[in-house]
């Protein structure tokens, strides 16, 4: 079955890496990712900027050049970024803006409404939130009105799961980071899918920085076991492909 890896990180110490909350990630370059996933049928994916990469774009552009046009970038940008810079990054394969509420390193969430609309209107980008879903009610009225939003790692917590009914409004949820969440993964997957079959987008979350358990192939098998073939295909490939390369 084809896989679109909607969430993984490249960590290249040839470019700026900043300690975040006392944490420095391990090196994980393009070749490491390709070697680790060589036996999977990955046909595309999204390289996601982490808290420790701040607003650096050079590492991402370099990684996208190596990975090829089937892969795209999810970046962090300051509110002051110019339209020309956004369009330049778009030409180089970036397709989304990330707000890292959980770890920092990105623009402040207070800028979400205007900034998410700006990048969507200018370049067709969606915006991604790394946030505990228990905090979503505070910004739900804003999110519901935005054109394209996704939530990382199943919303992270059991307490937050009920708030992911935002998928009714078209919000997407990444089926990623099973080893870092504080919830029943099977129940979360089934409940989100029941509300909106287009919402879930699988990702490996490699190299699983700070996770209690790193990604394992069993995470893919779990999706294949929980859902019939067509639904599994949408979660593992089609939903994310449609979202990133619409």
């Amino acid at each position: 079955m084809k896989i679109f890896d909607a969430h993984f990180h490249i960590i290249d110490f040839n470019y700026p890496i900043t300690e975040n909350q006392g944490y420095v990630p391990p090196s994980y370059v393009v070749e490491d990712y390709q070697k680790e996933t060589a036996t999977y049928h990955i046909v595309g994916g999204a390289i996601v900027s982490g808290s420790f990469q701040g607003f650096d774009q050079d590492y991402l552009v370099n990684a996208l050049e190596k990975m090829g046009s089937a892969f795209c970038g999810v970046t962090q940008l300051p509110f002051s970024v110019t339209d020309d810079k956004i369009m330049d990054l778009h030409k180089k394969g970036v397709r989304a803006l990330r707000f890292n509420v959980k770890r920092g390193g990105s623009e402040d969430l207070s800028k979400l409404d205007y900034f998410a609309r700006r990048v969507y209107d200018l370049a067709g980008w969606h915006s991604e939130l790394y946030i505990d879903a228990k905090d979503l009610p505070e910004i739900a009225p804003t999110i519901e009105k935005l054109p394209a939003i996704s939530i990382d790692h199943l919303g992270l917590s059991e307490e937050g799961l009920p708030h992911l009914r935002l998928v009714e409004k078209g919000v997407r949820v990444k089926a990623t980071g099973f080893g870092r969440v504080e919830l029943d993964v099977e129940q979360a997957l089934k409940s989100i899918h029941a509300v909106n079959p287009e919402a879930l987008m699988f990702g490996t979350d490699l190299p699983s920085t700070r996770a209690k358990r790193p990604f394992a192939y069993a995470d893919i098998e779990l999706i294949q076991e929980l859902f019939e073939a067509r639904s599994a295909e949408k979660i593992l490939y089609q939903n994310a492909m449609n979202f990133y390369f619409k």
Side-chain angles (χ1 to χ4, degrees), residues 47 78 82 91 104 108-109 127-128 130 140-141 199 211 235 239:
I47 305 170
T82 66
K91 291 174 184 174
D108 187 82
L109 197 57
S127 293
E128 306 193 355
Y130 184 16
I235 295 167
N239 288 346

Side-chain angles (χ1 to χ4, degrees), residues 7-71:
H7 194 107
F8 68 96
H9 304 282
I10 297 299
I11 304 163
D12 188 339
F13 280 82
N14 289 316
Y15 300 90
I17 297 291
T18 304
E19 180 181 302
N20 176 265
Q21 300 175 354
Y23 177 79
V24 177
S27 174
Y28 193 76
V29 296
V30 166
E31 292 75 15
D32 294 323
Y33 174 78
Q34 291 173 329
K35 180 179 179 180
E36 188 161 358
T37 60
T39 59
Y40 311 153
H41 189 23
I42 292 177
V43 296
I47 305 170
V48 178
S49 290
S51 57
F52 37 78
Q53 286 156 327
F55 297 137
D56 175 52
Q57 308 301 320
D58 291 338
Y59 98 89
L60 183 56
V61 170
N62 176 264
L64 288 170
E65 287 175 352
K66 291 181 177 180
M67 294 296 297
S69 60
F71 291 80

Side-chain angles (χ1 to χ4, degrees), residues 217-237:
Y217 188 71
D219 296 339
I220 295 174
E221 293 176 321
L222 175 63
I223 292 171
Q224 293 173 323
E225 291 166 2
L226 285 178
F227 301 99
E228 50 84 22
R230 177 59 184 143
S231 293
E233 180 188 18
K234 291 177 74 172
I235 295 167
L236 291 170
Y237 170 72

Side-chain angles (χ1 to χ4, degrees), residues 6-8 46-50 53 57 59-60 64 72-76 93-99 125-128 150 152 174 244:
H7 194 107
F8 68 96
I47 305 170
V48 178
S49 290
Q53 286 156 327
Q57 308 301 320
Y59 98 89
L60 183 56
L64 288 170
C72 61
V74 179
T75 197
Q76 298 167 159
V94 177
R95 291 295 180 268
L97 175 67
R98 193 183 199 208
F99 290 82
W125 292 5
H126 65 268
S127 293
E128 306 193 355
S150 70
D152 288 349
K174 291 193 177 182
Y244 283 94

Side-chain angles (χ1 to χ4, degrees), residues 161-171 173 187-200 227:
L161 186 57
H163 305 303
L164 292 182
R165 289 197 68 87
L166 282 167
V167 297
E168 291 178 329
K169 308 290 186 178
V171 171
V173 176
Q187 183 57 40
L189 291 169
K190 290 189 288 187
S191 62
I192 294 166
H193 182 267
V195 176
N196 182 355
E198 315 296 322
L200 288 170
F227 301 99

